[in-house]
Amino acid sequence: MSAPTSNPISGDRSAVAGVRFDTPADAPGFDTLEPWQLNPKVALRPEPFGALLYHFGTRKLSFLKNLTVVGIVKSLADHDSAEAALLAAGISPAQRPLYLQALTALADSGMIVPRSA
């Protein structure tokens, strides 16, 4: 599968073809079948362009420039899995790689964390 040419964190909503649905291969560090949530140490502040995320532990600031990503991040705790949050947001198979890339980046930076059962 070719690498996405854009990043939904930056606001581009273009799609990429060649989607695979086996989550571990799609995003090795991010399992969409597990429950996720916004890190309790992170504040999400809505902005006209999307949102600001501030991690009080690491003092890292991130910008979400895509309202769909903001909605997914906000809804993670309301769903049994990240997969359910993606489906509820209406993410198409063609859009899936871009949103997995965004969620993986947020997980890698500690902005979202696995939720305990």
Side-chain angles (χ1 to χ4, degrees):
M1 181 165 69
S2 62
T5 58
S6 61
N7 183 344
I9 291 179
S10 300
D12 191 319
R13 295 176 190 249
S14 61
V16 174
V19 177
R20 294 182 340 204
F21 286 96
D22 50 340
T23 300
D26 282 343
F30 183 76
D31 186 353
T32 62
L33 300 179
E34 295 297 319
W36 290 82
Q37 68 181 11
L38 186 65
N39 187 328
K41 295 180 180 180
V42 172
L44 185 150
R45 185 173 91 185
E47 294 288 343
F49 60 81
L52 293 173
L53 295 175
Y54 180 75
H55 193 299
F56 287 96
T58 63
R59 300 174 68 178
K60 182 174 180 167
L61 180 66
S62 295
F63 297 86
L64 298 181
K65 296 180 182 177
N66 180 301
L67 295 175
T68 303
V69 173
V70 174
I72 293 168
V73 169
K74 285 178 159 182
S75 75
L76 284 172
D78 298 331
H79 295 283
D80 293 334
S81 66
E83 184 67 35
L86 289 167
L87 291 172
I91 303 304
S92 72
Q95 296 170 316
R96 183 180 170 84
L98 296 174
Y99 288 93
L100 284 177
Q101 178 186 2
L103 292 174
T104 300
L106 291 170
D108 289 347
S109 66
M111 295 296 184
I112 60 173
V113 293
R115 190 173 71 233
S116 303

